[in-house]
Amino acid sequence: MDAETRANLEQISVATISMQLLKRGIRHSAMVGVRPLNVPAKPVIGEAFTLRNIPMREDLSSPEVLAHRENAQRRAIEEAPAGTVLVIDGRGRGDVAVLGDILIERLKLRRVTAMVSDGGIRDADECLGADFPIYAAGPAAPASITFHFAADLQCPIGCGGIAVMPGDVIVADGDGVIVVPKALASEISRDGIEQERYERFAKLRVSQGHPVPGIYPPNDDAKAEYAEWFAAGNSEN
């Protein structure tokens, strides 16, 4: 992700991005059951580094496996590059933790941007006390190995009902988490700036008593009026 794309994404909301994806035929982009746990929510932008879990099997999911250097969960904690978002397939099990406070602390120290999962987190108060962005299903006491086996990393996964590919751009705010295909990130960030600019104009007109039809979405008259408004330097961008 280049600097211009990141700067643009920092100025627009997840809601705006969802509309830009919808205009490109991508309807399924917002994760279900994944919410900001920090209060207030911490906005997040970063490329996905993925961890895939599969159902637990007794000979594979025991406390001893966590000591193995090749354990995929432990590798993800140590290999996710600074600036990425660790996205963990929690298999939609909000009642099972995917990480706890020690691993969250390690991610923070390594300057990983955030953790996103459709699973839970344990030691939730301590995790949130780290002041690290966490988007998940909520608190959960059982450790990951109770129900999950960490199978692989940097591979396609599902999270919150959405396909996530390594390198996809993850954007999150108080409305939730959205997945942007990396190849579309630049144009979506650019067009999102324009969308929010027009929406400021539309909200202003509605606040002045204009009816919504014709303003949002705009008809030709509204587009012409907006062009004049923008040319006169009324927009913030």
Side-chain angles (χ1 to χ4, degrees):
M1 177 169 36
D2 60 52
E4 182 180 5
T5 298
R6 176 179 288 277
N8 286 342
L9 289 173
E10 289 173 348
Q11 299 179 62
I12 63 179
S13 69
V14 164
T16 292
I17 293 169
S18 72
M19 181 59 71
Q20 288 298 320
L21 287 166
L22 179 60
K23 289 178 178 179
R24 291 162 173 82
I26 300 177
R27 296 177 176 273
H28 301 288
S29 57
M31 293 184 182
V32 177
V34 180
R35 60 187 178 88
L37 299 191
N38 308 89
V39 180
K42 291 181 173 295
V44 166
I45 300 170
E47 294 184 6
F49 186 95
T50 63
L51 171 62
R52 180 171 68 94
N53 283 311
I54 62 174
M56 174 275 294
R57 199 177 76 188
E58 284 77 3
D59 62 322
L60 298 175
S61 297
S62 65
E64 289 75 21
V65 305
L66 298 177
H68 297 170
R69 287 190 176 275
E70 292 305 308
N71 177 271
Q73 185 207 59
R74 295 307 201 243
R75 285 184 57 203
I77 299 301
E78 296 301 325
E79 294 178 21
T84 62
V85 176
L86 177 59
V87 184
I88 302 175
D89 168 16
R91 303 195 300 115
R93 293 291 304 262
D95 58 335
V96 182
V98 295
L99 295 182
D101 62 321
I102 294 174
L103 301 186
I104 290 292
E105 188 68 27
R106 180 60 176 163
L107 291 174
K108 178 182 177 181
L109 182 68
R110 297 193 60 252
R111 300 188 183 279
V112 173
T113 292
M115 190 280 288
V116 169
S117 180
D118 56 357
I121 60 164
R122 67 200 309 235
D123 310 305
D125 289 344
E126 289 82 358
C127 288
L128 295 173
D131 198 34
F132 178 82
I134 300 172
Y135 287 75
S144 62
I145 55 174
T146 308
F147 291 97
H148 301 315
F149 172 69
D152 202 0
L153 47 80
Q154 280 299 78
C155 61
I157 64 169
C159 186
I162 302 301
V164 183
M165 307 297 173
D168 280 347
V169 178
I170 305 297
V171 187
D173 62 19
D175 281 350
V177 183
I178 203 158
V179 180
V180 182
K182 187 173 183 178
L184 296 178
S186 178
E187 63 182 81
I188 282 174
S189 72
R190 179 196 64 224
D191 293 351
I193 291 286
E194 175 61 21
Q195 176 187 326
E196 292 202 354
R197 183 186 293 132
Y198 178 80
E199 287 179 355
R200 286 195 294 275
F201 164 80
K203 187 173 182 179
L204 175 62
R205 289 296 180 261
V206 169
S207 73
Q208 293 169 340
H210 289 258
V212 172
I215 293 290
Y216 191 75
N219 58 22
D220 289 342
D221 289 341
K223 289 178 181 177
E225 187 179 357
Y226 165 69
E228 292 178 4
W229 175 84
F230 178 61
N234 292 303
S235 173
E236 294 177 5
N237 290 324

